[in-house]
Amino acid sequence: MGGVSHTSLSPLPSSDRADVAARLRSALLDASFTADGLLDLLGAPAYAALARSETVPALRATRGDTPLETLVRLFLLQQPVPHARVVDVLPVEDALESGWLTRTGGGEVAATVDIRPYGGPDGEDWFIVSDLGCAVGGAGGIGSREEGVVLGVGGASTTLAGITVRTPVHSALDLGTGSGIQALHVAQHATRVTATDLNPRALHITALTLALSGAPAADLREGSLFEPVHADETYDLIVSNPPFVISPGARLTYRDGGMGGDDLCRTLVQEAGDRLNEGGYAQFLANWQHVEGEDWQDRLRSWVPRGCDAWIVQREVQDVTQYAELWLRDAGDHRADPADYQARYDAWLDEFEARKVKSVGFGWITLRRTAAAEPSITVEEWPHSVEQPLGEAVRAHFDRLDYLRRHDDAGLLAGHFRLVAEVMQEQVGLPGAEDPEHVVLRQHRGMRRATKVDTVGAGFAGVCDGTLSAGRILDAIAQLVGEDPVLLRDRTPAQIRLLVEQGFLEPVE
């Protein structure tokens, strides 16, 4: 990111001055230093450019001297600002004393951290703290190769926040908290929040993020994976955007796991089961290897701990060259000496070749602790667009699993169902043909799935409004099409089960 060049990580503001953080928050809000305020000031193109680590449009849009322009230059663009301009906007002396600002000489002050407005799910005005120049990644890399650097909110962060189940819980664990974005979200619906990180600097920044956002403090613990969690501690919700990058070595703490291959993600998933309360969720982002001669879905099924249902969604796959190039750019290695870049690229490919890895998958892993005799494991590939936030759809997926486990075919026929909102029917066939070749039901919410059904399945779904049992509907369809109702009742439950499982029909109990 543009602005002041930093060759080493700057000292952080004090995390013990809650009074200063509260006054700073009040001043930021008074100046409309919020997500909406930034959009109004900068305009959509410059605002979007900031998310790509491009600062020139924002610099051009903040050439005035309003309080909001001053704050954008100071905290987002990392530009030194005259002390006289800041004194009417912020509690300057308190901010200097507690370390949010520093004097640069020439009567100017500069920020010691990046502060980025972030809109909460219910319109909350939050602020995410990160290291200077590291609010997000972007095509130019993060701009720092310091090992302990702490990034702000990126696409992975918002993806995990969007898929997390948001039911009220007593206890939640944010494992590998980074800048604290997940801890901030779970603090809205968890009574007790524990946040851990191997990097003590990340814990410090998480404390700043929570304080500046007006959120309750979390129990912050230093350590790797579940090491900081006491042996007898369990949680209702565990979330983690871990350092999942599969790389040779562990050069960058924020992204490189430090274990061979995808062992860090596997270990995280396998150890989560014993840390969950009954009915509790563990939700992760992860990378996994596609190994020559091995089914990637079987690989992931082997990760799921006993006593847990699992829903694993592969969102993207990259071949090993694409993958190596992505993360070399992320670290800014493409701007280094060409010989160094080639050596690092070779090291990645050597590592993949030694492990017989042909590509790498990225996706979501959700576990739910269950007492069911036979837990359900769903592993699927879904690269298509979805509707975020998806947390409610995730919760509903597992509720439907419970329903289907409790009901055999006779139970399904006795049940009542409702077609979910915004499901459309498409008929596919040759122009002028009397009957369609097949019928497709398509969701416009949640996972936005599409599934092929026969004419009976389409007719059944179309009249499901919760009033008649499935069996009564099938009897009526049998009479309409002249089919034996007993045979229709016998062959249709499998199709009903699929429509329920995929979220086209919801049980009405």
PDB file of all heavy atoms in Angstrom, residues 322-342:
ATOM      1  N   GLN A 322      -0.117 -22.050 -10.509  1.00  0.00           N
ATOM      2  CA  GLN A 322      -0.988 -20.921 -10.158  1.00  0.00           C
ATOM      3  C   GLN A 322      -0.901 -20.621  -8.667  1.00  0.00           C
ATOM      4  O   GLN A 322      -0.853 -19.462  -8.249  1.00  0.00           O
ATOM      5  CB  GLN A 322      -2.447 -21.242 -10.528  1.00  0.00           C
ATOM      6  CG  GLN A 322      -2.739 -21.339 -12.003  1.00  0.00           C
ATOM      7  CD  GLN A 322      -4.166 -21.818 -12.227  1.00  0.00           C
ATOM      8  OE1 GLN A 322      -4.603 -22.820 -11.657  1.00  0.00           O
ATOM      9  NE2 GLN A 322      -4.913 -21.091 -13.044  1.00  0.00           N
ATOM     10  N   TYR A 323      -0.906 -21.682  -7.886  1.00  0.00           N
ATOM     11  CA  TYR A 323      -0.897 -21.527  -6.430  1.00  0.00           C
ATOM     12  C   TYR A 323       0.394 -20.863  -5.958  1.00  0.00           C
ATOM     13  O   TYR A 323       0.374 -19.919  -5.157  1.00  0.00           O
ATOM     14  CB  TYR A 323      -1.066 -22.898  -5.776  1.00  0.00           C
ATOM     15  CG  TYR A 323      -1.281 -22.863  -4.281  1.00  0.00           C
ATOM     16  CD1 TYR A 323      -2.538 -22.597  -3.756  1.00  0.00           C
ATOM     17  CD2 TYR A 323      -0.237 -23.121  -3.396  1.00  0.00           C
ATOM     18  CE1 TYR A 323      -2.751 -22.577  -2.385  1.00  0.00           C
ATOM     19  CE2 TYR A 323      -0.440 -23.101  -2.030  1.00  0.00           C
ATOM     20  CZ  TYR A 323      -1.697 -22.832  -1.531  1.00  0.00           C
ATOM     21  OH  TYR A 323      -1.897 -22.812  -0.166  1.00  0.00           O
ATOM     22  N   ALA A 324       1.528 -21.353  -6.454  1.00  0.00           N
ATOM     23  CA  ALA A 324       2.813 -20.772  -6.058  1.00  0.00           C
ATOM     24  C   ALA A 324       2.894 -19.301  -6.466  1.00  0.00           C
ATOM     25  O   ALA A 324       3.331 -18.448  -5.685  1.00  0.00           O
ATOM     26  CB  ALA A 324       3.957 -21.563  -6.682  1.00  0.00           C
ATOM     27  N   GLU A 325       2.445 -18.981  -7.679  1.00  0.00           N
ATOM     28  CA  GLU A 325       2.505 -17.597  -8.151  1.00  0.00           C
ATOM     29  C   GLU A 325       1.618 -16.676  -7.315  1.00  0.00           C
ATOM     30  O   GLU A 325       1.995 -15.539  -7.006  1.00  0.00           O
ATOM     31  CB  GLU A 325       2.090 -17.539  -9.619  1.00  0.00           C
ATOM     32  CG  GLU A 325       3.107 -18.165 -10.562  1.00  0.00           C
ATOM     33  CD  GLU A 325       2.521 -18.501 -11.925  1.00  0.00           C
ATOM     34  OE1 GLU A 325       1.418 -17.981 -12.242  1.00  0.00           O
ATOM     35  OE2 GLU A 325       3.145 -19.284 -12.671  1.00  0.00           O
ATOM     36  N   LEU A 326       0.439 -17.167  -6.922  1.00  0.00           N
ATOM     37  CA  LEU A 326      -0.465 -16.356  -6.100  1.00  0.00           C
ATOM     38  C   LEU A 326       0.210 -15.913  -4.810  1.00  0.00           C
ATOM     39  O   LEU A 326       0.194 -14.731  -4.442  1.00  0.00           O
ATOM     40  CB  LEU A 326      -1.734 -17.165  -5.779  1.00  0.00           C
ATOM     41  CG  LEU A 326      -2.659 -16.558  -4.719  1.00  0.00           C
ATOM     42  CD1 LEU A 326      -3.286 -15.273  -5.227  1.00  0.00           C
ATOM     43  CD2 LEU A 326      -3.733 -17.565  -4.301  1.00  0.00           C
ATOM     44  N   TRP A 327       0.843 -16.850  -4.111  1.00  0.00           N
ATOM     45  CA  TRP A 327       1.392 -16.535  -2.795  1.00  0.00           C
ATOM     46  C   TRP A 327       2.772 -15.890  -2.888  1.00  0.00           C
ATOM     47  O   TRP A 327       3.184 -15.177  -1.969  1.00  0.00           O
ATOM     48  CB  TRP A 327       1.386 -17.782  -1.919  1.00  0.00           C
ATOM     49  CG  TRP A 327      -0.025 -18.209  -1.652  1.00  0.00           C
ATOM     50  CD1 TRP A 327      -0.672 -19.305  -2.136  1.00  0.00           C
ATOM     51  CD2 TRP A 327      -0.996 -17.488  -0.880  1.00  0.00           C
ATOM     52  NE1 TRP A 327      -1.973 -19.332  -1.713  1.00  0.00           N
ATOM     53  CE2 TRP A 327      -2.205 -18.223  -0.938  1.00  0.00           C
ATOM     54  CE3 TRP A 327      -0.966 -16.295  -0.151  1.00  0.00           C
ATOM     55  CZ2 TRP A 327      -3.364 -17.800  -0.287  1.00  0.00           C
ATOM     56  CZ3 TRP A 327      -2.127 -15.875   0.501  1.00  0.00           C
ATOM     57  CH2 TRP A 327      -3.300 -16.634   0.430  1.00  0.00           C
ATOM     58  N   LEU A 328       3.479 -16.101  -3.983  1.00  0.00           N
ATOM     59  CA  LEU A 328       4.711 -15.330  -4.192  1.00  0.00           C
ATOM     60  C   LEU A 328       4.374 -13.857  -4.421  1.00  0.00           C
ATOM     61  O   LEU A 328       5.057 -12.965  -3.904  1.00  0.00           O
ATOM     62  CB  LEU A 328       5.486 -15.886  -5.397  1.00  0.00           C
ATOM     63  CG  LEU A 328       6.198 -17.227  -5.163  1.00  0.00           C
ATOM     64  CD1 LEU A 328       6.643 -17.840  -6.482  1.00  0.00           C
ATOM     65  CD2 LEU A 328       7.391 -17.055  -4.227  1.00  0.00           C
ATOM     66  N   ARG A 329       3.314 -13.594  -5.167  1.00  0.00           N
ATOM     67  CA  ARG A 329       2.876 -12.204  -5.349  1.00  0.00           C
ATOM     68  C   ARG A 329       2.372 -11.620  -4.041  1.00  0.00           C
ATOM     69  O   ARG A 329       2.609 -10.448  -3.745  1.00  0.00           O
ATOM     70  CB  ARG A 329       1.768 -12.128  -6.413  1.00  0.00           C
ATOM     71  CG  ARG A 329       2.248 -12.274  -7.834  1.00  0.00           C
ATOM     72  CD  ARG A 329       1.185 -11.823  -8.834  1.00  0.00           C
ATOM     73  NE  ARG A 329      -0.087 -12.517  -8.639  1.00  0.00           N
ATOM     74  CZ  ARG A 329      -0.399 -13.663  -9.239  1.00  0.00           C
ATOM     75  NH1 ARG A 329       0.477 -14.249 -10.049  1.00  0.00           N
ATOM     76  NH2 ARG A 329      -1.573 -14.223  -9.024  1.00  0.00           N
ATOM     77  N   ASP A 330       1.662 -12.434  -3.260  1.00  0.00           N
ATOM     78  CA  ASP A 330       1.138 -11.962  -1.983  1.00  0.00           C
ATOM     79  C   ASP A 330       2.246 -11.419  -1.095  1.00  0.00           C
ATOM     80  O   ASP A 330       2.066 -10.421  -0.390  1.00  0.00           O
ATOM     81  CB  ASP A 330       0.416 -13.109  -1.267  1.00  0.00           C
ATOM     82  CG  ASP A 330      -0.007 -12.754   0.143  1.00  0.00           C
ATOM     83  OD1 ASP A 330      -1.028 -12.063   0.288  1.00  0.00           O
ATOM     84  OD2 ASP A 330       0.701 -13.146   1.097  1.00  0.00           O
ATOM     85  N   ALA A 331       3.401 -12.068  -1.123  1.00  0.00           N
ATOM     86  CA  ALA A 331       4.531 -11.640  -0.292  1.00  0.00           C
ATOM     87  C   ALA A 331       5.378 -10.565  -0.971  1.00  0.00           C
ATOM     88  O   ALA A 331       6.362 -10.093  -0.391  1.00  0.00           O
ATOM     89  CB  ALA A 331       5.411 -12.845   0.047  1.00  0.00           C
ATOM     90  N   GLY A 332       5.007 -10.193  -2.202  1.00  0.00           N
ATOM     91  CA  GLY A 332       5.792  -9.184  -2.905  1.00  0.00           C
ATOM     92  C   GLY A 332       7.071  -9.737  -3.512  1.00  0.00           C
ATOM     93  O   GLY A 332       7.944  -8.972  -3.938  1.00  0.00           O
ATOM     94  N   ASP A 333       7.200 -11.071  -3.579  1.00  0.00           N
ATOM     95  CA  ASP A 333       8.436 -11.661  -4.111  1.00  0.00           C
ATOM     96  C   ASP A 333       8.619 -11.389  -5.603  1.00  0.00           C
ATOM     97  O   ASP A 333       9.742 -11.449  -6.111  1.00  0.00           O
ATOM     98  CB  ASP A 333       8.441 -13.177  -3.865  1.00  0.00           C
ATOM     99  CG  ASP A 333       8.610 -13.522  -2.394  1.00  0.00           C
ATOM    100  OD1 ASP A 333       9.380 -12.822  -1.713  1.00  0.00           O
ATOM    101  OD2 ASP A 333       7.957 -14.460  -1.925  1.00  0.00           O
ATOM    102  N   HIS A 334       7.528 -11.071  -6.299  1.00  0.00           N
ATOM    103  CA  HIS A 334       7.646 -10.776  -7.733  1.00  0.00           C
ATOM    104  C   HIS A 334       8.374  -9.457  -7.973  1.00  0.00           C
ATOM    105  O   HIS A 334       8.802  -9.182  -9.084  1.00  0.00           O
ATOM    106  CB  HIS A 334       6.256 -10.741  -8.374  1.00  0.00           C
ATOM    107  CG  HIS A 334       5.333  -9.708  -7.793  1.00  0.00           C
ATOM    108  ND1 HIS A 334       5.088  -9.604  -6.449  1.00  0.00           N
ATOM    109  CD2 HIS A 334       4.602  -8.731  -8.388  1.00  0.00           C
ATOM    110  CE1 HIS A 334       4.236  -8.607  -6.229  1.00  0.00           C
ATOM    111  NE2 HIS A 334       3.931  -8.067  -7.384  1.00  0.00           N
ATOM    112  N   ARG A 335       8.506  -8.649  -6.914  1.00  0.00           N
ATOM    113  CA  ARG A 335       9.239  -7.391  -7.055  1.00  0.00           C
ATOM    114  C   ARG A 335      10.694  -7.520  -6.591  1.00  0.00           C
ATOM    115  O   ARG A 335      11.441  -6.549  -6.605  1.00  0.00           O
ATOM    116  CB  ARG A 335       8.553  -6.292  -6.235  1.00  0.00           C
ATOM    117  CG  ARG A 335       7.135  -5.966  -6.703  1.00  0.00           C
ATOM    118  CD  ARG A 335       6.638  -4.687  -6.056  1.00  0.00           C
ATOM    119  NE  ARG A 335       6.635  -4.777  -4.607  1.00  0.00           N
ATOM    120  CZ  ARG A 335       5.595  -5.164  -3.871  1.00  0.00           C
ATOM    121  NH1 ARG A 335       4.471  -5.495  -4.477  1.00  0.00           N
ATOM    122  NH2 ARG A 335       5.665  -5.209  -2.558  1.00  0.00           N
ATOM    123  N   ALA A 336      11.076  -8.713  -6.152  1.00  0.00           N
ATOM    124  CA  ALA A 336      12.437  -8.936  -5.655  1.00  0.00           C
ATOM    125  C   ALA A 336      13.386  -9.231  -6.819  1.00  0.00           C
ATOM    126  O   ALA A 336      13.009  -9.202  -7.993  1.00  0.00           O
ATOM    127  CB  ALA A 336      12.436 -10.089  -4.658  1.00  0.00           C
ATOM    128  N   ASP A 337      14.635  -9.535  -6.466  1.00  0.00           N
ATOM    129  CA  ASP A 337      15.628  -9.910  -7.474  1.00  0.00           C
ATOM    130  C   ASP A 337      15.125 -11.122  -8.262  1.00  0.00           C
ATOM    131  O   ASP A 337      14.658 -12.103  -7.667  1.00  0.00           O
ATOM    132  CB  ASP A 337      16.948 -10.241  -6.770  1.00  0.00           C
ATOM    133  CG  ASP A 337      18.005 -10.674  -7.760  1.00  0.00           C
ATOM    134  OD1 ASP A 337      18.665  -9.785  -8.336  1.00  0.00           O
ATOM    135  OD2 ASP A 337      18.161 -11.900  -7.948  1.00  0.00           O
ATOM    136  N   PRO A 338      15.183 -11.092  -9.589  1.00  0.00           N
ATOM    137  CA  PRO A 338      14.657 -12.207 -10.396  1.00  0.00           C
ATOM    138  C   PRO A 338      15.239 -13.558 -10.010  1.00  0.00           C
ATOM    139  O   PRO A 338      14.534 -14.570 -10.033  1.00  0.00           O
ATOM    140  CB  PRO A 338      15.038 -11.815 -11.828  1.00  0.00           C
ATOM    141  CG  PRO A 338      15.129 -10.318 -11.803  1.00  0.00           C
ATOM    142  CD  PRO A 338      15.645  -9.965 -10.448  1.00  0.00           C
ATOM    143  N   ALA A 339      16.511 -13.592  -9.643  1.00  0.00           N
ATOM    144  CA  ALA A 339      17.121 -14.876  -9.254  1.00  0.00           C
ATOM    145  C   ALA A 339      16.505 -15.385  -7.953  1.00  0.00           C
ATOM    146  O   ALA A 339      16.264 -16.594  -7.797  1.00  0.00           O
ATOM    147  CB  ALA A 339      18.631 -14.702  -9.103  1.00  0.00           C
ATOM    148  N   ASP A 340      16.234 -14.468  -7.016  1.00  0.00           N
ATOM    149  CA  ASP A 340      15.600 -14.858  -5.753  1.00  0.00           C
ATOM    150  C   ASP A 340      14.182 -15.370  -6.006  1.00  0.00           C
ATOM    151  O   ASP A 340      13.740 -16.361  -5.408  1.00  0.00           O
ATOM    152  CB  ASP A 340      15.564 -13.681  -4.776  1.00  0.00           C
ATOM    153  CG  ASP A 340      16.941 -13.321  -4.235  1.00  0.00           C
ATOM    154  OD1 ASP A 340      17.849 -14.163  -4.350  1.00  0.00           O
ATOM    155  OD2 ASP A 340      17.092 -12.207  -3.703  1.00  0.00           O
ATOM    156  N   TYR A 341      13.478 -14.663  -6.877  1.00  0.00           N
ATOM    157  CA  TYR A 341      12.105 -15.078  -7.208  1.00  0.00           C
ATOM    158  C   TYR A 341      12.110 -16.479  -7.809  1.00  0.00           C
ATOM    159  O   TYR A 341      11.311 -17.345  -7.416  1.00  0.00           O
ATOM    160  CB  TYR A 341      11.491 -14.080  -8.185  1.00  0.00           C
ATOM    161  CG  TYR A 341      10.105 -14.462  -8.660  1.00  0.00           C
ATOM    162  CD1 TYR A 341       8.983 -14.237  -7.868  1.00  0.00           C
ATOM    163  CD2 TYR A 341       9.915 -15.062  -9.908  1.00  0.00           C
ATOM    164  CE1 TYR A 341       7.716 -14.585  -8.304  1.00  0.00           C
ATOM    165  CE2 TYR A 341       8.645 -15.416 -10.353  1.00  0.00           C
ATOM    166  CZ  TYR A 341       7.554 -15.168  -9.544  1.00  0.00           C
ATOM    167  OH  TYR A 341       6.304 -15.530  -9.979  1.00  0.00           O
ATOM    168  N   GLN A 342      13.025 -16.726  -8.739  1.00  0.00           N
ATOM    169  CA  GLN A 342      13.083 -18.047  -9.367  1.00  0.00           C
ATOM    170  C   GLN A 342      13.426 -19.123  -8.353  1.00  0.00           C
ATOM    171  O   GLN A 342      12.857 -20.223  -8.390  1.00  0.00           O
ATOM    172  CB  GLN A 342      14.115 -18.034 -10.496  1.00  0.00           C
ATOM    173  CG  GLN A 342      14.195 -19.377 -11.235  1.00  0.00           C
ATOM    174  CD  GLN A 342      15.129 -19.326 -12.434  1.00  0.00           C
ATOM    175  OE1 GLN A 342      15.410 -18.253 -12.961  1.00  0.00           O
ATOM    176  NE2 GLN A 342      15.593 -20.499 -12.863  1.00  0.00           N
TER     177      GLN A 342
END
